Amino acid sequence: MIYEGKKRIWSEYQKEIPEDNYFYVRSCIRQNFFPASEKTFLDIVRNRLGKDFFETQHHTTCGGIAYHSDAIPQETVMTIIARQFALMTEAGYKNYACSCITSFGLYTETMETWKLFPELEAKIREILWKTCHKEFRIPENLAHASDIIYKFRNMIAEKAAYRLVNVKTGKPLRVVEHIGCHYAKMFPSRGVGGAEYPYVLAGMIESWGGEVIDYPERRHCCGFGFRQYLVKANRGYSLSNTHKKFESMAPFKPDMIITNCPGCPYFMDRWQYVISELEGKTYGENGYGIPVFTYEEVAGLVLGYDPWDLGLQMHQVAVEPLLDKMGIKYDPAKKYLGENGKYIGKPQMPRFIKCC
Amino acid sequence: MDNNYNTIIIGAGPAGMEAAYRLSVFGIRTCLLEKEAETGGHLLKWDRIFPEGRKASEILGFMRKRIESGNITTITSARIDSIRKKAGNGYEAELATNEGKKTITADTILIACGFKLFNAAKKEEYGYGIYNRVITNADLENLFKTNSTGSIIGENRTPAVGFVHCVGSRDEKAGNRHCSKVCCATAVKQAMEIKEAYPQATVYCFYMDLRMFGRHYEDMYLEAQQKYGIRFIRGRVSEVSEDCNERIVAKAEDTLSGKPVKITLDMLVLMSGIACNPDSGKITGSLSIENDSDGFIKYADSIFGQVKGPGIFTAGTCTGPKTLPETINEAGEAAAVIYGYLKGNSNNF
C-alpha cells in the first residue's frame, strides 16, 4: 500500500468543520444500542473542549429508516428535516451537527436536492408552514459528529490518558475502521477523505497511536442495510454480509473495530455472537470476538473515562481484552452495576464466543 | 531567413513527424516543435504496437530517420510562449528553448499536439497510486520494454493478471464520454504478451463491449481466446483492494452470467484511455479555433476534417482518438492539404 497515495486523496477531500456553536441532534436508535456514546460526545465537546453544543427535546427522528425502507416518500422526509432546521433556526444556530450517519446522508441529500430543484424547497417550506407554522434557514454548515471528533482529534490526543497502543508490546493496536455507508458514498466531497478512502476515523486512529488496517471488504456494508435486516425474511443477507467482512478482516488480526454509524457497531458486535453460535467460529484472540466501538467510546477510553460509564458492558463482544491491551484500569465487579450501584443484570454466557 | 518557415508543426509525435517528412518530400520547409526533450510522443513509452506486435522503437527509429532532412528544423524542449496570426498572412510564434528565446514565423500551422493518457488515479476505486500492484497500460509497456514485469508480479510463475478496459473513457463521471478506440486492442495485445511471458498465467479482461474494429483485430481477439485462453468477463470492476499478502482483490459483475465475481490478482492493469491534451486549448485559444465539448480540437467539417482558420491544419489525436496507422494517414493527408494551400488552393473550411 502506498501511504502517500492515500494522503494525496485525503488532501483532496477536506471539508470545512466549524470550530464551535453547533445545534446537535441525536440518533433515534443509538441510545438503545450504545447508550453512553452521545452522552460521552457531549461531555467531551462541552466539558473537555469547552464548546457550545445546543440540543432540544423537540427534535424527532429524521425519518431516515422509514425513507430508506420505502415506507415514506421523499417529500415527507424532507418536511421532517425542514422542521429540524426550523428548530435550529429558532435556537439561533447556523451549524448543524448530527449523531447519525443516515441522518447525515439524508440531510446532505436533501440540501443538494433543494439546490438543484428550488421549486421543491419552496413546496416543502409551504408544507411546513401549513402543518407546523414554522420557517427555517438551511444550515450554513452540516457536520457529522465524527467530523467534529476528527477535527479535535489532536486536542484529544494531547489530553490522552491512554493511547491505542499495546502496553505490553509497545506496538500500535491494529484497528479496523468502518465508515457508515451514508457518510460519503453518496456525496464523497461531504466526507473527510472522500468515499473510497475515508479519513475521518483513520485520522483519529493515527492521532491516538493506532495502526489502520485496510482489508478487502473494508467498504462492504456492515450487515444492517435497512431492508435486509428490517424485513425479517431477509436477515440471512444481513448476517452473510457481516460474515463476509469478518472473514476478510480476520487474516489481518485486528485488535478492535471503530465505527461512526448507529447500525454498524450494533451489527458487527451482535452478529459475531450469532456466527459463533452457528459455526462455532470466533474472530478475536483466544476464543474472544473482535471488540467493536463507536468513535465516542474510543475517544472516551483515550481520555480516561471509566469503561462502564461508557456503557461498554452493553456490548455483546467482551471489551476487556482490548482494555487490558491499552492498560486501562477497570473494576470487573462493577461491570453490571448501573447508577447508584444498582445491579442491571448479567447476560447469559454464550456457548462459544468467550465473554468476561 | 533562418527563422522563417512554410509550416510550423506543433508536436513531434507520430503525426508531427510524419507530416514533417511528407512536407519535406514536397519541398516545404518546416519547423517541428516538441516540448519534450525527445521526438516520438507516446511511441517513446510503448514497447509493441498492435495488431502484429511490431516494436515501437523500430517504428520510431524509422520515423526519426525520415525527418533527417534539410527541409526540417526540429526543436525539442521547446515551449510556445505565444502564437498568433501576423498582420497580413502567416503566423508568428515566440519560443522558449534550451538555446534561449526565439521567434519563428511561417505561412501555415499544423497542430499535432496529440493526446494525454487519462490519469487513472482519478478513478479512485481502482486504487492506482494506492496499491503497488495496480498499474496502467503505459506502465505495463514500460515493464515490457525493460523486461521487468517481475517487479510487480514477483517470482510467481503462475500469476493471475487482470485488465480493466475503458478507464476514463466512455465514462461520464470521468468527464470523457468518448470511446478511446485503441484500448480494447491494446488490452488484448498486452494480455497475450503476459501469456507469452507467463504461459501458466491466468489472465482476465474486464470489458464493457469489445470494439475490435480494425483489420485483423478480430483475429487477434479470437487468438487471445483460443490460443492463449484469456478469460473475457463482460462487466466493470467496481472496487479494488489489497489482501494481507498485498495481492489485489478485484470485484466486478459478470453481466453475461448475472453474477458478482471477486478475483485475487498479482497485477491489475488499467487501460487508461486517450483524453484530450490540455495544451491544445492554449494553442487553439491563441489561434481563435475551437475545442469541442470533449476537449479535442473541433473539426470544421465532420466528413472532410480540418479546422476553421486560414492556414491552420490538424493531424493525429489532437482531434480525437486514433490508431497509429490512422494518425499517420491523417498526417500524410494534412501534408497534402498544406502543400495545396501553399500553392494557392484555399482552405475550404
Side-chain angles (χ1 to χ4, degrees):
Chain A
M1 200 265 285
I2 306 161
Y3 188 72
E4 289 302 314
K6 282 195 175 176
K7 276 174 72 176
R8 178 185 52 75
I9 288 181
W10 293 334
S11 69
E12 290 170 6
Y13 292 99
Q14 287 298 319
K15 61 186 276 188
E16 187 192 342
I17 306 166
E19 191 78 25
D20 205 352
N21 305 116
Y22 282 97
F23 180 83
Y24 177 71
V25 291
R26 297 191 186 222
S27 152
C28 54
I29 58 174
R30 293 188 80 206
Q31 291 162 81
N32 299 316
F33 292 173
F34 297 94
S37 287
E38 289 169 336
K39 178 175 175 286
T40 305
F41 174 82
L42 287 172
D43 192 64
I44 291 171
V45 292
R46 284 175 176 162
N47 303 326
R48 301 287 184 116
L49 303 173
K51 306 295 179 186
D52 169 29
F53 276 72
F54 176 86
E55 59 172 345
T56 169
Q57 72 271 30
H58 299 298
H59 165 251
T60 66
T61 174
C62 70
I65 289 178
Y67 175 62
H68 288 295
S69 305
D70 288 347
I72 59 173
Q74 191 180 32
E75 287 172 10
T76 306
V77 85
M78 282 182 170
T79 308
I80 299 172
I81 287 169
R83 184 182 165 277
Q84 323 283 34
F85 289 168
L87 296 175
M88 179 201 76
T89 307
E90 287 164 8
Y93 285 83
K94 293 173 181 172
N95 302 324
Y96 197 96
C98 55
S99 162
C100 174
I101 283 287
T102 293
S103 298
F104 178 75
L106 204 46
Y107 291 132
T108 309
E109 182 184 337
T110 298
M111 288 157 67
E112 288 295 315
T113 306
W114 287 348
K115 262 188 216 167
L116 293 170
F117 302 97
E119 69 280 8
L120 186 55
E121 182 191 333
K123 184 179 176 183
I124 299 298
R125 285 185 183 278
E126 189 184 334
I127 294 171
L128 184 69
W129 179 253
K130 283 180 179 169
T131 53
C132 304
H133 271 266
K134 285 186 182 293
E135 290 180 302
F136 68 93
R137 280 201 308 267
I138 294 172
E140 285 182 7
N141 194 287
L142 175 69
H144 183 253
S146 63
D147 294 336
I148 295 161
I149 294 291
Y150 165 81
K151 184 177 178 72
F152 297 122
R153 67 197 185 284
N154 293 329
M155 287 171 73
I156 291 170
E158 284 167 16
K159 298 172 190 287
Y162 303 99
R163 286 169 57 76
L164 300 180
V165 172
N166 186 323
V167 290
K168 286 181 188 149
T169 64
K171 289 185 177 169
L173 293 175
R174 294 168 62 73
V175 186
V176 158
E177 40 93 39
H178 178 83
I179 306 290
C181 290
H182 293 159
Y183 176 64
K185 281 181 182 167
M186 294 183 290
F187 299 94
S189 64
R190 301 308 166 93
V192 177
E196 299 294 338
Y197 310 94
Y199 190 57
V200 63
L201 295 180
M204 294 179 205
I205 295 163
E206 287 180 355
S207 273
W208 302 340
E211 179 189 340
V212 179
I213 288 172
D214 188 353
Y215 64 107
E217 298 294 354
R218 173 174 54 80
R219 301 173 180 105
H220 201 79
C221 168
C222 66
F224 185 12
F226 293 82
R227 291 208 303 189
Q228 70 186 4
Y229 182 79
L230 299 175
V231 178
K232 198 171 179 181
N234 290 350
R235 286 184 184 167
Y237 292 120
S238 171
L239 182 60
S240 58
N241 275 317
T242 312
H243 179 257
K244 183 184 271 191
K245 281 189 80 76
F246 278 98
E247 287 293 314
S248 176
M249 75 174 77
F252 292 83
K253 300 188 187 326
D255 294 300
M256 65 191 294
I257 299 168
I258 302 183
T259 64
N260 72 342
C261 175
C264 306
Y266 189 79
F267 282 83
M268 295 175 82
D269 182 63
R270 298 327 195 244
W271 278 150
Q272 284 193 72
Y273 155 72
V274 176
I275 292 167
S276 76
E277 290 293 310
L278 289 172
E279 295 191 338
K281 186 165 186 181
T282 53
Y283 293 97
E285 292 169 290
N286 307 318
Y288 287 92
I290 303 171
V292 189
F293 298 89
T294 68
Y295 59 94
E296 297 106 319
E297 289 170 345
V298 178
L301 288 175
V302 167
L303 287 168
Y305 285 67
D306 185 291
W308 311 139
D309 288 344
L310 292 171
L312 301 190
Q313 62 276 63
M314 298 298 284
H315 290 216
Q316 175 70 60
V317 175
V319 297
E320 287 87 339
L322 190 275
L323 302 180
D324 294 339
K325 282 178 188 171
M326 289 177 70
I328 292 172
K329 294 180 179 60
Y330 60 94
D331 183 353
K334 289 185 178 170
K335 182 170 182 180
Y336 296 108
L337 300 181
E339 275 193 345
N340 306 318
K342 184 184 170 191
Y343 181 61
I344 59 172
K346 186 177 178 182
Q348 199 178 340
M349 282 297 118
R351 283 192 300 161
F352 293 105
I353 195 165
K354 260 171 109 175
C355 291
C356 298
Chain B
M1 286 172 64
D2 278 345
N3 291 330
N4 193 12
Y5 301 91
N6 299 121
T7 303
I8 294 170
I9 301 177
I10 302 169
M17 286 197 288
E18 180 66 12
Y21 162 68
R22 297 280 178 187
L23 287 166
S24 75
V25 172
F26 293 140
I28 306 295
R29 288 189 69 230
T30 64
C31 181
L32 180 59
L33 302 177
E34 172 55 48
K35 68 176 179 182
E36 303 296 339
E38 284 183 86
T39 56
H42 290 275
L43 263 185
L44 278 167
K45 301 171 194 158
W46 242 244
D47 183 48
R48 288 178 185 274
I49 304 298
F50 65 78
E52 292 95 350
R54 282 178 63 184
K55 290 290 274 184
S57 57
E58 288 171 15
I59 298 168
L60 182 56
F62 175 73
M63 296 190 84
R64 280 179 173 166
K65 206 165 180 60
R66 296 213 299 183
I67 60 170
E68 289 169 5
S69 154
N71 283 331
I72 303 170
T73 301
T74 303
I75 306 175
T76 55
S77 302
R79 188 185 73 219
I80 300 173
D81 285 340
S82 71
I83 187 162
R84 59 183 166 270
K85 195 169 184 332
K86 286 195 301 179
N89 289 329
Y91 295 89
E92 183 179 80
E94 287 175 11
L95 310 177
T97 70
N98 287 342
E99 283 80 45
K101 301 273 184 191
K102 183 179 275 194
T103 301
I104 59 173
T105 60
D107 306 307
T108 58
I109 303 276
L110 175 64
I111 306 169
C113 58
F115 66 93
K116 191 178 176 192
L117 269 184
F118 175 77
N119 176 9
K122 286 186 180 173
K123 296 294 291 178
E124 293 168 7
E125 64 269 36
Y126 295 151
Y128 183 65
I130 303 283
Y131 303 121
N132 293 301
R133 290 171 185 258
V134 179
I135 63 170
T136 65
N137 42 2
D139 296 331
L140 182 58
E141 289 293 332
N142 187 46
L143 294 177
F144 284 145
K145 270 175 83 169
T146 52
N147 200 21
S148 56
T149 48
S151 65
I152 302 291
I153 291 173
E155 297 299 314
N156 186 359
R157 300 306 300 169
T158 58
V161 177
F163 289 83
V164 182
H165 293 223
C166 302
V167 174
S169 54
R170 303 180 69 196
D171 186 339
E172 191 110 26
K173 279 177 81 177
N176 293 323
R177 205 183 299 163
H178 63 274
C179 168
S180 173
K181 205 173 185 181
V182 298
C183 313
C184 283
T186 303
V188 173
K189 176 201 78 107
Q190 291 186 337
M192 291 195 295
E193 287 176 293
I194 285 289
K195 283 292 283 186
E196 279 170 6
Y198 300 90
Q200 301 303 315
T202 309
V203 180
Y204 305 90
C205 282
F206 297 95
Y207 69 98
M208 285 204 277
D209 55 296
L210 279 154
R211 299 192 164 181
M212 307 297 284
F213 58 91
R215 195 165 169 230
H216 300 307
Y217 295 7
E218 199 68 29
D219 300 337
M220 195 168 72
Y221 174 39
L222 278 177
E223 189 182 18
Q225 294 171 82
Q226 292 172 347
K227 182 179 170 186
Y228 293 102
I230 290 160
R231 301 173 190 195
F232 288 88
I233 299 173
R234 198 186 82 173
R236 301 204 70 156
V237 170
S238 60
E239 182 185 346
V240 170
S241 50
E242 204 176 62
D243 70 10
C244 63
N245 299 312
E246 297 190 354
R247 293 179 80 205
I248 294 300
V249 179
K251 285 187 190 176
E253 182 187 357
D254 182 339
T255 57
L256 293 180
S257 66
K259 289 181 178 169
V261 291
K262 187 160 78 171
I263 298 173
T264 304
L265 301 165
D266 296 280
M267 183 165 77
L268 182 68
V269 186
L270 307 178
M271 305 309 295
S272 285
I274 288 179
C276 67
N277 183 349
D279 289 348
S280 79
K282 296 173 201 161
I283 299 162
T284 53
S286 303
L287 296 173
S288 302
I289 55 175
E290 287 180 74
N291 286 65
D292 226 325
S293 57
D294 56 9
F296 291 102
I297 296 172
K298 194 172 183 176
Y299 279 133
D301 185 280
S302 60
I303 305 294
F304 294 100
Q306 295 311 326
V307 294
K308 270 188 180 142
I312 303 172
F313 305 89
T314 59
T317 51
C318 63
T319 49
K322 292 179 186 71
T323 63
L324 183 59
E326 287 170 342
T327 297
I328 287 171
N329 282 342
E330 195 177 68
E333 192 256 1
V337 175
I338 291 169
Y339 177 73
Y341 176 83
L342 292 169
K343 294 296 175 192
N345 294 325
S346 66
N347 191 0
N348 290 327
F349 302 106

